[in-house]
Amino acid sequence: MKKSILKALQTTIQGSVFSQKEFRKFYSVDSSSYQIIPKAIVVPKNEKDVINTVKLAKKFKTSVTVRGAGTSLVGSALNNGIILDMKNFDSIRLAKNHVTIGPGTLKGKLDKKLEKQKKFFPPNPSIGSFCSLGGMLGNNSSGSRSLKYGSVIDNVTEITFVDGNGNKIILPENKRVSKKILEFAEIDLQRFPNVTKNSSGYRIDKVKSIIDAHKVVIGSEGNIRNYFISKAKD
Ligand SMILES: Cc1cc2nc3c(=O)[nH]c(=O)nc-3n(C[C@H](O)[C@H](O)[C@H](O)COP(=O)(O)OP(=O)(O)OC[C@H]3O[C@@H](n4cnc5c(N)ncnc54)[C@H](O)[C@@H]3O)c2cc1C
């Protein structure tokens, strides 16, 4: 990685920035059989760090790939640019009918919290407690209960993310962006496969009204830079 971007990251990011060989090797693999050596790893401390990483990556023309727990089997958490490890974003806020979750939260931690209230988050991939909620959003995870309760896309009501320009966006709360997505989603549904599980890109087929705008990014495998908080249904 050019020294200038590394220096820029190191002077801007409040969290950690790693470029040592050992770190790059560690983040070069996930549960897939692929290996791609990244140039640097950023472990953001806060939202500002994520925004600044995206802005710097854009300025220096390099990629940003978010990593949750690295359990995906297709190498989707690997890349040769910057890897953004979301492990510090592991907050869980329980409300009566929903829970607000940081994307780095491991599913097992959420399960334990919900269990105490005799509740559960339906998507249940067989990797179990080890994956993160951000990765589950990226994959639109489903699992054993999906025929009854659907996949992640059917159980999330709001997403906060940072787009490729470093803008923080909350959907569907942001009406301007939501309206644009809705317009874009006027498509021929015949062209979409009629399947219960689909995580192959932007889910415009799931956007039926403005309150569905956030669904467009669920299953987009990190094409949208980040999810900070998501309100999961009760
Ligand atoms: C043994 C095994 C069994 C499995 N069984 C099932 C199953 O039954 N059903 C099912 O649906 N899936 C299954 N999976 C897949 C599982 O859903 C994913 O492995 C898991 O959800 C990925 O989570 P992760 O935190 O490890 O994400 P990672 O592997 O770290 O990342 C996965 C993708 O999400 C993106 N991502 C991660 N965090 C963010 C973020 N904050 N913002 C934006 N993008 C992000 C990454 O960039 C990447 O594209 C299984 C996997 C394994 C290994």
Side-chain angles (χ1 to χ4, degrees):
M1 171 167 275
K2 277 191 183 160
K3 282 236 166 76
S4 43
I5 178 168
L6 200 56
K7 208 169 168 200
L9 285 169
Q10 280 161 346
T11 49
T12 317
I13 300 302
Q14 293 170 29
S16 311
V17 179
F18 302 107
S19 65
Q20 301 91 324
K21 199 172 144 197
E22 294 73 22
F23 280 91
R24 289 164 57 220
K25 225 173 159 186
F26 179 83
Y27 284 91
S28 72
V29 290
D30 58 3
S31 302
S32 71
S33 49
Y34 304 109
Q35 181 174 35
I36 305 176
I37 311 266
K39 294 190 181 76
I41 297 95
V42 173
V43 186
K45 193 176 167 189
N46 46 39
E47 291 184 357
K48 221 169 171 198
D49 275 355
V50 178
I51 291 169
N52 284 332
T53 304
V54 171
K55 284 186 174 167
L56 285 173
K58 192 177 177 203
K59 184 173 165 196
F60 288 92
K61 294 191 171 51
T62 193
S63 60
V64 179
T65 302
V66 191
R67 184 179 176 111
T71 69
S72 165
L73 297 164
V74 293
S76 54
L78 310 178
N79 214 333
N80 59 6
I82 300 168
I83 300 292
L84 205 55
D85 183 335
M86 299 304 294
K87 65 181 173 193
N88 288 334
F89 289 67
D90 64 345
S91 59
I92 300 177
R93 266 187 287 133
L94 290 173
K96 193 165 174 247
N97 291 317
H98 69 264
V99 54
T100 305
I101 318 158
T105 307
L106 291 183
K107 183 181 176 289
K109 189 175 161 188
L110 175 67
D111 288 343
K112 273 193 188 148
K113 277 245 176 183
L114 291 176
E115 213 179 294
K116 284 188 191 148
Q117 297 204 350
K118 297 198 169 25
K119 290 182 178 171
F120 66 97
F121 183 56
N124 187 36
S126 49
I127 182 67
S129 47
F130 303 106
C131 56
S132 75
L133 268 296
M136 289 177 74
L137 283 159
N139 273 290
N140 185 25
S141 298
S142 49
S144 57
R145 306 185 192 114
S146 63
L147 285 181
K148 185 163 182 190
Y149 299 103
S151 307
V152 167
I153 203 163
D154 306 300
N155 289 278
V156 174
T157 56
E158 184 181 284
I159 292 184
T160 305
F161 64 93
V162 173
D163 73 4
N165 292 318
N167 299 313
K168 177 178 162 180
I169 298 173
I170 306 176
L171 293 178
E173 187 187 289
N174 185 323
K175 295 281 173 285
R176 187 183 58 82
V177 177
S178 296
K179 270 185 193 157
K180 270 194 183 169
I181 291 169
L182 191 60
E183 277 165 28
F184 188 65
E186 280 172 14
I187 38 125
D188 179 6
L189 285 175
Q190 302 275 351
R191 292 168 65 192
F192 278 81
N194 185 18
V195 290
T196 48
K197 164 86 192 263
N198 181 347
S199 47
S200 341
Y202 295 117
R203 291 299 305 275
I204 46 176
D205 60 311
K206 276 280 190 177
V207 182
K208 309 262 191 250
S209 80
I210 205 154
I211 59 163
D212 297 325
H214 61 291
K215 293 186 179 177
V216 80
V217 296
I218 300 177
S220 61
E221 300 248 1
N223 282 326
I224 291 290
R225 305 292 178 187
N226 187 34
Y227 312 98
F228 293 122
I229 305 157
S230 56
K231 278 188 186 165
K233 270 192 211 162
D234 198 3

